[in-house]
Amino acid sequence: MLASSPGSPRSGVGDVVFRNLARFAAFSVLLVLLGVAVTLFWRSWPTFHHFGWSFLWTARWDPGRELFGGWIPIAGTLISSAIALLVAVPVAYGVALFVTNLAPAWLGRPVGSAIELLAAIPSIVFGMWGLFVFAPWFAKLEPWITAHVGTLPAIGIFFRGPPMGIGMLTAGLVLAVMVLPFIASIMRDVFTVVPPMLRESAYALGATSWEVQRHVVLAYTRSAVLGGIFLGLGRALGETMAVTFVIGNAHQLSASLLKPGNSIAALLANEFAEATTPLHQSSLLALGFLLFAMTLIILIGARLLLWRLENAQGKSGL
Amino acid sequence: MNTLYRRRRFWNRFHFSMSLLVTLAGLFVLGWILFTTLKFGVAALNLSLFRLDTPAPGNVGGLRNAFVGSLLLVGLAVLVGTPLGVLAGTFLAEFSRGKRLGMVVRFFNDILLSAPSIVIGLFAFSIVVYPMGHYSGWAGAFALTIIFIPVVLRTTDEMLQLVPGSLREAALALGAPHWKMVLRVTYRAAAAGILTGILLALARISGETAPLIFTVLNNQFWSTDLNRPIASLPIAIYQFAMSPYADLQALAWAGALVTVLFILILSLGARYVLRRAGRS
């Protein structure tokens, strides 16, 4: 490429200055990401040193006696995110299917735009809706859940509990609402890059719309759909405000999803500014580091999966 | 044969009915959230919102100091983040095409783009608040800048990639140095796209709460000193929404409504800018 040959004879002082400024800015991004990893690890080292690996699976959290273990918020983060994905992924898939396949263009486009706009709404608004509107409504539904779902064998134990409205299940559902627009818009983008020729060939062979979606579109976009789900998971794991309002912020982990619990992000939001002893602060930072490590792995996976489709397409835009 | 045909038709109809159903459910819930914000927000909206500072429970008050604090924090992030983000995007699109370094930066920028904002807040705490020994507006602005840059970087990169190579070659053929070519030709061609990125990034940081909780903390009183804890809109909303007092909760809803409207206007504005540029 002519425009980027670095040693071209005409490159004067202006070029050198401009290129190095740009390079510095680009490197600062790498530096920040590296800085986050190193700083958080360094600041949480006292905790890892003091408690060792058992920090990961110890449940006690006693700031008074300086005994810290991360199991409850770690498990809470994973459980609330799992509930969110279980609910949001099928719905997002349905929405993307509707927008790309079922709706006529005059309807599909505005619905798609509306969903994209909703992805921009700050999470604190989802949290407030969860606390003031959804939780009171859900509290009325919970006795019914306990009575009907709670009596089922095997899964019943998860759905028995006090009808408080807030708790792990509520947090998962509010999270689901939050990541829904996000996953749906990625799936929609992914479905629209399928070459029309592939769809049309399948239709010409007599396939129904669903069969085209199932065997052609999904087969072509499988890795990117998975990538979109991973991105949603990354978002759900680290989501703070939507969860803090409704998870209950109780340091307990119970089989019942109706009971309050805690997540890493919610614990940080609640305790970090008040943590006074170095070990308490370091333990919270250690949880932050673990959260960062978890999302980092998931996001790297997501990006690699999404890039696979982009490279197959030979263009960017996802 | 006939039963096979029927079965296929049934599954086709079943899946698309489910698709329609969940879309309606999804849109209903999202509409419900907007309606809630509008209902509670409008009920609490009045002029003293912009004239008075955040009150103690039971007193009349507004969110003036929170608006000004947010404006300072967000403004600073935009001021610092825009040149850095645009320059970094320029590096990817103009100086490292097809090179591995560019791919690496692009990849990790995408990671930073989706990193949890509370972790960015922890980072800002560790390298600004901790060494300084106290919470400050600077730390919050720093955290917001880190969230701002990746969005601008990515859109700048994408938009510059869309500029046709023939434009660049024409400028270079006329004897323009590379930097002048970028500043005068490709930036101009991609200006609307870059502006879109800045608007979207601004929308993104306007509602960010998590990275501010333990960087700027909060300040109940009027202050514009970035060296001290300062009030900000998201934190004011957070604290008032969590409080047990109805009047403070009403203020929180008013603040939430203003934030949502601001973000929706920015997002719609970004779309409008991009569409108008695409037409010409």
Side-chain angles (χ1 to χ4, degrees):
Chain A
M1 175 108 349
L2 181 78
S4 64
S5 60
S8 70
R10 269 186 301 96
S11 52
V13 182
D15 273 354
V16 173
V17 170
F18 190 62
R19 189 184 310 125
N20 281 317
L21 271 177
R23 180 175 296 154
F24 163 76
F27 272 115
S28 69
V29 168
L30 292 184
L31 205 68
V32 164
L33 201 66
L34 197 72
V36 173
V38 171
T39 318
L40 290 188
F41 184 72
W42 172 60
R43 296 274 285 118
S44 55
W45 178 246
T47 295
F48 291 129
H49 182 70
H50 195 271
F51 296 110
W53 285 104
S54 68
F55 181 76
L56 295 180
W57 54 79
T58 312
R60 70 194 166 194
W61 187 269
D62 188 345
R65 287 194 294 156
E66 298 247 285
L67 292 172
F68 300 103
W71 172 240
I72 287 174
I74 291 171
T77 305
L78 296 176
I79 294 169
S80 57
S81 300
I83 298 171
L85 282 195
L86 276 178
V87 177
V89 167
V91 176
Y93 184 75
V95 171
L97 191 61
F98 175 81
V99 171
T100 57
N101 238 324
L102 191 59
W106 61 265
L107 185 63
R109 198 179 284 263
V111 170
S113 308
I115 286 167
E116 267 174 28
L117 282 182
L118 289 163
I121 289 183
S123 56
I124 190 167
V125 174
F126 285 88
M128 287 171 73
W129 170 80
L131 179 65
F132 290 111
V133 181
F134 182 72
W137 176 81
F138 197 60
K140 282 183 223 151
L141 195 69
E142 277 176 345
W144 184 89
I145 294 177
T146 304
H148 292 84
V149 190
T151 49
L152 294 176
I155 63 160
I157 186 166
F158 298 124
F159 297 98
R160 265 172 281 179
M164 292 194 288
I166 56 173
M168 197 60 89
L169 187 59
T170 314
L173 292 176
V174 172
L175 260 184
V177 174
M178 221 197 118
V179 295
L180 164 67
F182 196 68
I183 302 180
S185 65
I186 293 174
M187 283 189 183
R188 185 201 60 170
D189 290 350
V190 163
F191 290 164
T192 48
V193 301
V194 175
M197 206 180 22
L198 285 182
R199 286 174 191 265
E200 283 159 15
S201 311
Y203 280 124
L205 289 172
T208 64
S209 298
W210 169 249
E211 285 160 355
V212 171
Q213 174 67 28
R214 171 76 185 76
H215 298 292
V216 177
V217 176
L218 200 58
Y220 189 80
T221 56
R222 188 177 293 126
S223 70
V225 166
L226 203 61
I229 295 171
F230 271 36
L231 271 190
L233 176 59
R235 185 152 187 172
L237 287 172
E239 178 47 51
T240 311
M241 302 321 292
V243 176
T244 307
F245 277 97
V246 290
I247 200 165
N249 300 313
H251 197 75
Q252 61 183 44
L253 186 68
S254 33
S256 168
L257 296 176
L258 303 188
K259 284 193 178 162
N262 219 340
S263 80
I264 295 178
L267 181 67
L268 285 171
N270 277 304
E271 272 192 31
F272 194 81
E274 272 109 54
T276 43
T277 66
L279 196 59
H280 190 186
Q281 204 176 65
S282 162
S283 298
L284 288 166
L285 277 155
L287 286 173
F289 175 76
L290 292 172
L291 176 64
F292 179 67
M294 271 195 278
T295 47
L296 193 70
I297 293 165
I298 282 162
L299 291 174
I300 287 176
R303 287 297 168 189
L304 290 176
L305 287 166
L306 282 167
W307 273 24
R308 202 185 281 179
L309 180 73
E310 261 177 63
N311 292 339
Q313 275 301 109
K315 61 163 197 167
S316 63
L318 289 173
Chain B
M1 194 60 198
N2 209 5
T3 53
L4 177 65
Y5 174 74
R6 267 196 207 146
R7 199 166 64 212
R8 289 174 59 205
R9 191 177 60 181
F10 167 77
W11 281 118
N12 192 46
R13 284 188 182 162
F14 172 77
H15 281 108
F16 282 101
S17 320
M18 289 308 282
S19 159
L20 180 64
L21 208 69
V22 295
T23 305
L24 287 178
L27 286 176
F28 169 75
V29 172
L30 294 166
W32 189 9
I33 292 171
L34 279 185
F35 172 76
T36 306
T37 314
L38 211 60
K39 190 179 88 176
F40 289 120
V42 168
L45 216 52
N46 57 50
L47 265 181
S48 62
L49 195 68
F50 303 97
R51 279 210 310 248
L52 300 174
D53 289 343
T54 45
N59 294 356
V60 183
L63 294 167
R64 183 181 67 142
N65 53 344
F67 283 124
V68 171
S70 266
L71 223 57
L72 281 174
L73 297 175
V74 169
L76 205 62
V78 172
L79 225 57
V80 178
T82 302
L84 275 173
V86 170
L87 271 175
T90 310
F91 180 75
L92 296 190
E94 300 285 339
F95 294 106
S96 64
R97 286 203 162 185
K99 289 189 191 161
R100 185 166 300 159
L101 178 66
M103 296 298 273
V104 170
V105 172
R106 199 169 284 138
F107 186 82
F108 284 107
N109 183 66
D110 278 353
I111 304 287
L112 192 59
L113 185 74
S114 329
S117 53
I118 193 150
V119 170
I120 306 293
L122 283 180
F123 176 58
F125 174 87
S126 299
I127 74 166
V128 184
V129 176
Y130 187 66
M132 279 173 79
H134 57 85
Y135 298 100
S136 70
W138 297 116
F142 175 77
L144 291 183
T145 310
I146 291 179
I147 297 168
F148 185 84
I149 289 175
V151 186
V152 176
L153 192 163
R154 187 183 183 161
T155 11
T156 305
D157 177 26
E158 277 174 3
M159 294 302 160
L160 287 177
Q161 306 251 12
L162 292 178
V163 176
S166 53
L167 274 182
R168 295 193 181 89
E169 282 157 15
L172 291 175
L174 287 172
H178 198 170
W179 64 272
K180 199 169 240 178
M181 181 272 281
V182 172
L183 288 184
R184 306 289 289 273
V185 179
T186 45
Y187 275 175
R188 194 166 289 182
I194 296 173
L195 180 64
T196 306
I198 296 169
L199 290 177
L200 289 177
L202 176 58
R204 163 98 200 260
I205 60 170
S206 304
E208 279 292 356
T209 316
L212 299 181
I213 299 173
F214 33 77
T215 50
V216 302
L217 208 65
N218 195 8
N219 191 337
Q220 204 195 320
F221 305 103
W222 172 265
S223 165
T224 53
D225 183 2
L226 284 170
N227 213 12
R228 304 259 141 236
I230 192 171
S232 66
L233 191 52
I235 300 291
I237 295 173
Y238 175 46
Q239 292 209 331
F240 288 171
M242 284 292 211
S243 80
Y245 307 101
D247 50 341
L248 294 189
Q249 288 173 2
L251 265 183
W253 279 113
L257 178 66
V258 172
T259 313
V260 167
L261 287 181
F262 181 67
I263 287 171
L264 286 184
I265 288 169
L266 278 177
S267 307
L268 288 172
R271 277 160 180 272
Y272 175 74
V273 167
L274 202 59
R275 191 174 304 164
R276 222 183 55 163
R279 204 177 290 146
S280 63

